[in-house]
Amino acid sequence: MEPNQVKSFTERFLKAYDCRIIEQTPDYLQTQLSVKTDKDLVHRPFYWMYVEKMGIKPQPVTLTFAFEPDKAPPKIRSELLSFGSPRFSQILKSAQKNGRFVRLYENDSGRLRRRDESKPYTPWLGVNYKLSYICDQKKDEIIQLGIHLRTGDLLQGFFDRIRNREWSSKLPTHRHIIPALISVPEAVGEMEYFLQGIIEQQDLSWARSAEERMKQELARLDAYYPEEWRMSDELHSEKRQRIRETIRQYHPKVEVEVINAGLFYLDEDVSFHLTPKKHPIS
Amino acid sequence: MKSVPIRMDRRWLNTFQNHMETDSGWSTWERFQLALEAAESQIIPDFDTLQCLRSLQGFEPLPHQIKTARRVLGDMRGRAILADEVGLGKTIEAGLILKEYMIRGLVKNALILVPSSLVLQWTRELNQKFQIPAVAHKKEWMWDHCDLLVASIDTAKRNPHRSKVLSKHYDLLIVDEAHKLKNRRTKNWQFINELQKKYALLLTATPVQNDLHELYNLVTLLKPGQLGQQTAFSTNYVAGKRKPKNEAQLRKEVQQVMIRNKRSDGHISFTERKVQTIPITLSPPERELYEGITRFIRDQYRQGMGLKNLLSLITLQKEVCSSRDAAFLTLFKLFQKGEQGKEELSPEVHHLVDLLRRVKQQSKVEKAIQLIQSIDEKVILFTEYRATQDLLLRSLTAKKIPAVPYRGGFQRNKKDWMMELFRNRAQVMVATEAGGEGVNLQFCHHIINYDLPWNPMRVEQRIGRVHRLGQTKDVTIYNFATADTIEDHILWLLHEKIDMFRTVIGDLETILEQLELKEGVEQNLKRIMLESGDDEEIRHRLTGLGDHIRRAREEVETENHRRDVLLDGTQSS
């Protein structure tokens, strides 16, 4: 993230988590954190224990952030927020911890509506997955999936398609939900099956070469240690340990984590015009 | 290979269904978006890029350090010996590697084993340069509760720590000064061998010193079997204790696990050091005081005063070369001591105090001010004595030259603050201590040695703060030398005789170890000053010591050269 991205992310974060902005200039920003944010960003568990036990009115801290090294405010003690700075890492962590699960209804655009008629919503489950390809090295990929909870249609890039729509946390009046036909666990099963397909159809040369390296290392260990019957107990366990270490170091695997997930109720008539992708494996 | 094992995380599903059932606990649209964006910003798109570079604050690693980190992460798969020559930033390289693994989530816990004198320095460097929250090991419980620990190897290898450490799996182990692991029969070697680690970095400037088997032991610790079984190694590669055979093959094997950057590599450049001697002539009252003190010491020596006391008297002589104020303090102590035993102050001491009182102006201070005014850039001035430091600060302030103090006794915060002030506001820093390796004064390129430490290590440390990797300008070193005093002799030894200021003496520590002196250089010098009858004898004995140091240096250089030939295939020239 560039300084201006760090800045706009921070501003949105503070706003979304009810922190009070005291002063805001193009170069710096002063804020009094909300209680929730204070607990995430400022490490002072004893203070919170004390406040809660004694029933005292909490005093969240006030922080001043600058975003570029040469633009710190004069006279005020500020901290530089940049990608990689400890505080910004905490902000990113807090954002991920607190934005995991939603249930949202698409905002009523008001079009095609008569007063006495209730309009239906279609239920979708959206999940943002992080795939990590791991051996002695690692890389990640984010895959956004969405599944229609009535038809089972599966969409990649689901989140990007709904990103620009308006959402509300409450079911608007004169609206109703068409019940799902597929349960959430079933839908998740479908998604996982789909992901497995993606992974297996990928170029797996990274995993093959990691496996190859692992074999070489293991062969070298075999050549280094004497034959089984000549080894003392200590040497035996040493060799076993070396083998374990080697496997831990090289063994290729894929770890799939969920970043966040939500139930999204979409306007039926403005549902996706694009044809959903078919299952790659059938 | 048909497929890879996949681990699906499903722990989230329960919570999600819980929210559905209770219809509560949902987050908001904006927070949901922020969470995804946060995750997106931390994605690692490739196996082999250096992600850590974009998250470093306030310092930029040098090209050879970045290249080294890349090779270790890529080609060497996280197990390597970092064998750069002294001063090229092995710590930085290790920090880059640790940071990269942490960002990628491949290292969650790491153990950094260093000599106990370096524990705090390592911790600070990791914290400040890399924002790695490493902690210095202090208590036994920390083994279980801290993920990133810097500990002394001597502590860690002893129980109760030992069993704790051995019971854990470390994602990364870093061992600094790893030449202490050259003998496989030692506790150190066996301890590191037993440690459970995924990645490992061994740092040493001298991977082989006396015996090729040292190299074998080091490599075996890292990658058992890389150089074959021990007997095979001996037959294949060892012709004599220090004499290898099949060198090209051995080098090839070693280079797969070892990286060694050298000063002589074209891409690593150091700027020049310029040395100027600033001669100072004492005014008649100052000269009288100096002579008075010299006579006093000689008399005491002849009267058979205890050696220990005598050596501290030499300090008085050193001090009087620095400033009247510095000498005054020591004299004052002598005075107090005298009073306890006797009714009256001895006439000799009394006389000295008298002489001291008569000194009104100090030639050296005047010279310093003159010089600083003529330099008109940032200057760091080193002195050995607090009293001199105070005097200089007073005198500079009187001349409206902005100056800040720096000394060992300051709290960490205050030290950092003084550095900031020096960088941004002051022209001069008057320091009694060089500060640790982490102290970085590259924005300054003038050093004044107002007086000289008699310990060469301390001299080198002073210069090393300013003249180091990353310094872009030539550095000028001004040495003050008061004519016809012991200071003159010392400067002669360090400058003329062993050329300590102009050239970077690679590994001074090793050279000084090589000397095998019973006492340190400093003590030796004091003894010479004390025992010699006249200047001629002093010069004669200093020549002896100087030659001794020169020989040691040559030996170390030959040794280094032999190592270079072996490890890098450098041809003899």
Side-chain angles (χ1 to χ4, degrees), chain B residues 365-382:
Chain B
V365 179
E366 284 163 18
K367 193 80 193 178
I369 303 236
Q370 239 175 43
L371 178 65
I372 288 168
Q373 279 169 336
S374 74
I375 292 173
D376 203 28
E377 284 181 42
K378 295 220 185 275
V379 179
I380 181 159
L381 185 152
F382 286 108

Side-chain angles (χ1 to χ4, degrees), chain B residues 308-444:
Chain B
K308 214 173 142 205
N309 289 332
L310 277 167
L311 289 176
S312 73
L313 275 184
I314 290 285
T315 309
L316 186 60
Q317 205 176 8
K318 271 174 77 184
E319 283 166 346
V320 75
C321 292
S322 178
S323 71
R324 181 198 58 188
D325 303 48
F328 176 75
L329 206 69
T330 308
L331 215 50
F332 183 70
K333 280 185 201 142
L334 273 179
F335 173 87
Q336 276 182 321
K337 234 191 214 164
E339 258 194 342
Q340 281 168 5
K342 287 176 253 167
E343 287 293 299
E344 254 175 50
L345 179 65
S346 69
E348 295 97 326
V349 177
H350 209 65
H351 176 61
L352 290 179
V353 174
D354 256 358
L355 287 175
L356 196 128
R357 282 216 190 94
R358 264 179 249 157
V359 177
K360 297 286 187 243
Q361 39 152 232
Q362 303 201 55
S363 317
K364 221 175 178 180
V365 179
E366 284 163 18
K367 193 80 193 178
I369 303 236
Q370 239 175 43
L371 178 65
I372 288 168
Q373 279 169 336
S374 74
I375 292 173
D376 203 28
E377 284 181 42
K378 295 220 185 275
V379 179
I380 181 159
L381 185 152
F382 286 108
T383 171
E384 289 269 276
Y385 306 103
R386 269 294 297 279
T388 308
Q389 185 184 36
D390 289 342
L391 167 71
L392 280 164
L393 285 165
R394 279 200 309 276
S395 313
L396 286 164
T397 314
K399 294 282 179 196
K400 304 232 164 10
I401 301 170
V404 291
Y406 187 91
R407 52 176 169 263
F410 284 170
Q411 295 284 313
R412 196 69 254 165
N413 275 344
K414 189 162 181 187
K415 282 183 176 173
D416 292 344
W417 177 235
M418 288 302 152
M419 284 292 170
E420 267 322 290
L421 282 179
F422 180 38
R423 184 196 297 267
N424 299 323
R425 312 247 169 102
Q427 188 201 344
V428 187
M429 176 176 261
V430 182
T432 53
E433 186 209 62
E437 186 56 42
V439 175
N440 200 337
L441 295 168
Q442 285 157 16
F443 55 88
C444 167

Side-chain angles (χ1 to χ4, degrees), chain A residues 197-214:
Chain A
I198 288 189
I199 293 163
E200 279 164 5
Q201 283 176 10
Q202 260 181 10
D203 175 18
L204 288 178
S205 55
W206 65 273
R208 272 193 294 275
S209 65
E211 190 98 341
E212 195 48 47
R213 284 194 297 275
M214 184 169 78

Side-chain angles (χ1 to χ4, degrees), chain B residues 104-198:
Chain B
R104 288 176 182 263
L106 290 168
V107 166
K108 296 199 173 65
N109 70 344
L111 177 62
I112 296 135
L113 293 177
V114 306
S116 55
S117 59
L118 297 179
V119 169
L120 287 179
Q121 193 179 308
W122 262 89
T123 314
R124 258 169 60 80
E125 198 133 324
L126 290 176
N127 286 314
Q128 294 187 346
K129 283 216 169 85
F130 296 95
Q131 284 88 45
I132 294 173
V135 186
H137 176 263
K138 289 196 196 73
K139 298 267 158 58
E140 199 192 319
W141 58 265
M142 294 174 95
W143 297 120
D144 291 324
H145 292 90
C146 302
D147 288 332
L148 301 160
L149 270 177
V150 183
S152 125
I153 186 165
D154 290 322
T155 308
K157 75 179 177 205
R158 280 199 310 261
N159 268 326
H161 309 291
R162 180 189 163 85
S163 52
K164 286 251 183 225
V165 176
L166 289 181
S167 71
K168 300 199 66 169
H169 285 276
Y170 290 99
D171 291 328
L172 174 62
L173 170 72
I174 297 175
V175 185
D176 193 11
E177 307 281 333
H179 46 269
K180 293 186 174 138
L181 307 173
K182 59 195 177 189
N183 183 345
R184 67 187 304 164
R185 278 183 287 277
T186 57
K187 282 255 184 316
N188 275 347
W189 194 94
Q190 284 153 10
F191 175 60
I192 300 295
N193 189 46
E194 266 184 69
L195 255 163
Q196 309 184 60
K197 60 236 169 242
K198 180 163 77 166

Side-chain angles (χ1 to χ4, degrees), chain B residues 96-317:
Chain B
L96 282 172
I97 294 161
L98 170 58
K99 180 85 182 174
E100 184 66 28
Y101 276 137
M102 285 175 65
I103 289 177
R104 288 176 182 263
L106 290 168
V107 166
K108 296 199 173 65
N109 70 344
L111 177 62
I112 296 135
L113 293 177
V114 306
S116 55
S117 59
L118 297 179
V119 169
L120 287 179
Q121 193 179 308
W122 262 89
T123 314
R124 258 169 60 80
E125 198 133 324
L126 290 176
N127 286 314
Q128 294 187 346
K129 283 216 169 85
F130 296 95
Q131 284 88 45
I132 294 173
V135 186
H137 176 263
K138 289 196 196 73
K139 298 267 158 58
E140 199 192 319
W141 58 265
M142 294 174 95
W143 297 120
D144 291 324
H145 292 90
C146 302
D147 288 332
L148 301 160
L149 270 177
V150 183
S152 125
I153 186 165
D154 290 322
T155 308
K157 75 179 177 205
R158 280 199 310 261
N159 268 326
H161 309 291
R162 180 189 163 85
S163 52
K164 286 251 183 225
V165 176
L166 289 181
S167 71
K168 300 199 66 169
H169 285 276
Y170 290 99
D171 291 328
L172 174 62
L173 170 72
I174 297 175
V175 185
D176 193 11
E177 307 281 333
H179 46 269
K180 293 186 174 138
L181 307 173
K182 59 195 177 189
N183 183 345
R184 67 187 304 164
R185 278 183 287 277
T186 57
K187 282 255 184 316
N188 275 347
W189 194 94
Q190 284 153 10
F191 175 60
I192 300 295
N193 189 46
E194 266 184 69
L195 255 163
Q196 309 184 60
K197 60 236 169 242
K198 180 163 77 166
Y199 308 112
L201 301 174
L202 306 180
L203 280 54
T204 171
T206 50
V208 49
Q209 236 162 345
N210 299 315
D211 189 334
L212 274 169
H213 286 101
E214 296 169 1
L215 186 62
Y216 175 82
N217 289 337
L218 211 54
V219 171
T220 301
L221 208 46
L222 196 72
K223 276 195 155 189
Q226 175 76 22
L227 297 177
Q229 290 185 341
Q230 188 149 17
T231 43
F233 174 76
S234 299
T235 4
N236 292 339
Y237 298 120
V238 183
K241 206 174 177 199
R242 299 184 185 193
K243 215 171 160 314
K245 58 185 180 187
N246 296 326
E247 279 171 74
Q249 179 62 28
L250 176 60
R251 205 174 298 131
K252 208 181 115 206
E253 295 293 341
V254 170
Q255 279 171 356
Q256 279 178 27
V257 292
M258 181 192 300
I259 298 178
R260 181 169 164 79
N261 295 301
K262 291 187 297 178
R263 283 164 191 272
S264 55
D265 294 351
H267 52 92
I268 298 168
S269 61
F270 279 85
T271 57
E272 228 176 284
R273 289 180 178 187
K274 294 176 187 159
V275 188
Q276 275 189 34
T277 301
I278 310 287
I280 284 135
T281 317
L282 294 177
S283 65
E286 285 174 311
R287 171 55 62 189
E288 252 184 81
L289 173 63
Y290 178 81
E291 297 300 341
I293 285 177
T294 310
R295 255 196 318 277
F296 174 69
I297 295 168
R298 294 249 157 92
D299 289 348
Q300 297 289 326
Y301 178 58
R302 267 183 234 119
Q303 285 167 21
M305 189 187 186
L307 191 65
K308 214 173 142 205
N309 289 332
L310 277 167
L311 289 176
S312 73
L313 275 184
I314 290 285
T315 309
L316 186 60
Q317 205 176 8

